[in-house]
Amino acid sequence: MKGPALAGLLLLLWTAAAAGSDRPDAGRDLYNGVGAATATVSMGGAAALPATRFACRACHGRNGAGGREGAAPPIRGSDLFHATLARPAYDTASLKRALAEGRAPDGRVLASLMPRYAMDDATFASLAAYLEGLAGLQRRGVHPRAVTLAVAVPPDNAATARRYADALRAALDDLLGGRPVHGRTVGVTLLAGDTAAILEGAEDAVAVVGLAPSARLDVAAFTDRQVPVLFPLFPLAGGEDATVVRGLMADRQDALAAIAARLASDKVTAMTAIDAPGCGGQAESFARRYAATSVRYTLSALPLSAKASGDVLLLCPDRQVARRVLHGLPDGLRIYGLAGELLSSAEAGRHHLVLASPEALLVSRDKKANLVDVHAAAAARLLVSALKSAGRNLDRTGLVAAVDAVSDPERQLDYAADTLNGTAFVPFIETKPR
Ligand code: HEC
């Protein structure tokens, strides 16, 4: 490292430590557009907005490698604090000027697509330290002789997660028998404790695998810290960023589309969409989204009126609320919904349920198999293939990208065809009253 760059780096580290006392994560949050805004932003001379509205990562990429939006350049510390053919090296003063006034070190005015940010010194120091650390974040969990995968144990779903970790270890052992991949043994570590401890532990893993459904820990909690999330145990929402997240079953958007298609093939013409408090207006937005189909939707609050049609749509991401709503519904209805929300709470035998179940794809060949075990076996296979194709020069983004090359015909997974999940196929589970 050349003299001025080193001096800049030391200054950064020093100021970052000084800022650490009040909001150590201000820079990370500003970069990723999460948490309370500690800076303001203006674009094209417009009035100032909270900086969270223009997250750096939206344009420069989660890993700072650039190129997500309008030829945004790489802005990792290793990029900025070195001269390029186009400009001299940045130091802290010129980086601050670039953010506040849109000027490069040589005085060039940056394109107006790069917003202008106003922030206090502590936030700036924290942001600069975060940029400095971005490249290193990419190599977390990758050691000379080992690579570390993590299974998080959410406090509200610990038994599932522990079982998953055991199953994943066993499946990896079956496939590898302890043999290294490109010189690295593949280890699985358990992340337990409270949410803060789990998230901290995840920083030392190349990825979190098989995340169990939890009300306290979601996918974004990890990806906001640059930790990739591979193959959660539940269907993804569908809008996740495939550079840090991969699933192995159809996502929620696919499942909703499958319900709409199912209604058509069941020749449903009128349907009551349940609008229950705590369900986030999901049924209503479904009705609006699929309004153009042949089904006429009537939105209904609880309790259902006697005139309500016998076909009901119940969408409710909070399983506990879903269970209560389902419990309160009269007998004899045909209820459409998602297995992940309604199946565990199915009042066996009371209702006719028609449930979209991306999860069922995994267990369809062996109905007695446990989803956790089958999922872990599938995930292990995908991970080993991805690790093999990623090569020796492994990092987090590289591992996720290597999933692209993987296909598992037996489980109908093909990531070249469906980048996020490898499949969009949604089976249904139907249970009828006894
Ligand atoms: C809306 C998209 C967008 C957002 C949001 C954005 N940038 Fe930029 N940024 C750009 C573009 C485009 C350029 C290239 C401008 C040019 O070279 O004229 C740029 C240039 C830069 C440069 C100059 C790099 C160089 O090599 O000279 C730095 C530093 C920078 N951005 C940092 C940030 C930081 C830090 C944030 C968040 C606080 C951020 N940017 C948010 C689009 C964006």
Side-chain angles (χ1 to χ4, degrees), residues 6 9 42 45 75 123 143 163 166 170 181 183 198 217 234 236 284 312 355 370 383 428:
L6 182 60
L9 175 55
S42 83
I75 56 166
T123 302
H143 313 285
R163 175 167 181 162
D166 289 342
V181 180
I198 291 172
L217 270 177
F234 48 87
L236 292 168
E284 184 188 0
V312 166
L355 304 178
N370 182 291
L383 286 164
F428 276 81

Side-chain angles (χ1 to χ4, degrees), residues 30-31 41 43 51 53-60 69-75 79-80 84 87 90 95 98-99 103-105 108-115 117 119 127 131:
L30 172 57
Y31 190 91
V41 59
M43 221 173 159
R53 297 282 287 279
F54 287 97
C56 319
R57 86 165 181 218
C59 299
H60 292 281
E69 188 66 50
I75 56 166
D79 305 303
L80 292 176
T84 68
R87 55 151 179 77
Y90 279 87
L95 177 57
L99 296 178
R103 284 193 187 278
R108 181 178 70 88
V109 177
L110 297 174
S112 61
L113 186 58
M114 167 63 199
Y117 294 88
M119 65 191 83
L127 174 64
L131 297 178

